[in-house]
Amino acid sequence: MNWLHRNAEMVPWLKSKDSDVRGFAAEALARIGATRHAGAVAELLKDENGGVRTKALNSLDWLGAHEFSDEIGAMLKDELYVNRLIALCIFNSHRIRDSSDQIAPLLRDDDNLLRNMAVRAIGATGGMEAPPKGSDPAPCVKFATEGV
């Protein structure tokens, strides 16, 4: 049996009772480029273990799984700081369009790095809707300070 068929054998490990096994299975699938199993990896974004969610995010990044932008966007609200940061980095580096609405609330985050990354990600993904001519030239700044 060749390796391409054997990668399907790793998928059941994504549901292991052991959180380390779930995380490593996601990482292994990503490292071998098993894009057809990206959906199963994306399911781990709902895992109760924050470390598993982190490995799932990194794995989706490696797989270039843009079709899971809604699931990645949900991670912008994750309890773990690192997961919010990774999600922003994915939006930024892959320039995933139509994600500005998901990113915009982070423009008001208490953390300076998250705010900065949110501005960069919105710029990389095509930005927010342009303001009418003659209005405030910095809508991201206005949104961040006034919530408008």
Side-chain angles (χ1 to χ4, degrees):
M1 183 181 301
N2 71 31
W3 182 247
L4 192 58
H5 293 282
R6 295 209 54 178
N7 67 46
E9 294 174 10
M10 282 193 271
V11 174
W13 293 109
L14 295 172
K15 297 189 183 291
S16 171
K17 290 182 180 181
D18 186 328
S19 60
D20 288 336
V21 172
R22 292 191 305 274
F24 288 128
E27 195 173 63
L29 287 167
R31 288 186 184 271
I32 62 170
T35 55
R36 67 182 182 171
H37 299 298
V41 172
E43 285 296 313
L44 290 179
L45 295 177
K46 301 173 195 166
D47 198 276
E48 63 189 31
N49 183 286
V52 172
R53 293 191 306 272
T54 301
K55 288 200 181 238
L57 271 171
N58 282 325
S59 297
L60 289 173
D61 184 20
W62 293 332
L63 291 169
H66 302 142
E67 66 269 24
F68 299 103
S69 62
D70 288 341
E71 291 85 347
I72 294 167
M75 297 305 293
L76 295 171
K77 299 175 185 172
D78 195 76
E79 64 190 50
L80 290 182
Y81 176 83
V82 69
N83 289 345
R84 294 192 308 268
L85 195 57
I86 292 169
L88 277 172
C89 289
I90 291 171
F91 281 128
N92 189 2
S93 65
H94 293 285
R95 291 172 164 66
I96 298 173
R97 299 284 181 209
D98 301 322
S99 56
S100 294
D101 289 344
Q102 294 172 300
I103 298 168
L106 289 177
L107 293 171
R108 290 182 280 182
D109 196 272
D110 292 335
D111 185 80
N112 187 48
L113 180 58
L114 283 176
R115 285 194 315 271
N116 186 9
M117 289 297 298
V119 169
R120 290 174 185 264
I122 287 173
T125 60
M128 297 173 75
E129 189 172 307
K133 190 173 182 173
S135 65
D136 184 354
C140 290
V141 172
K142 184 171 182 149
F143 182 88
T145 57
E146 301 172 18
V148 181

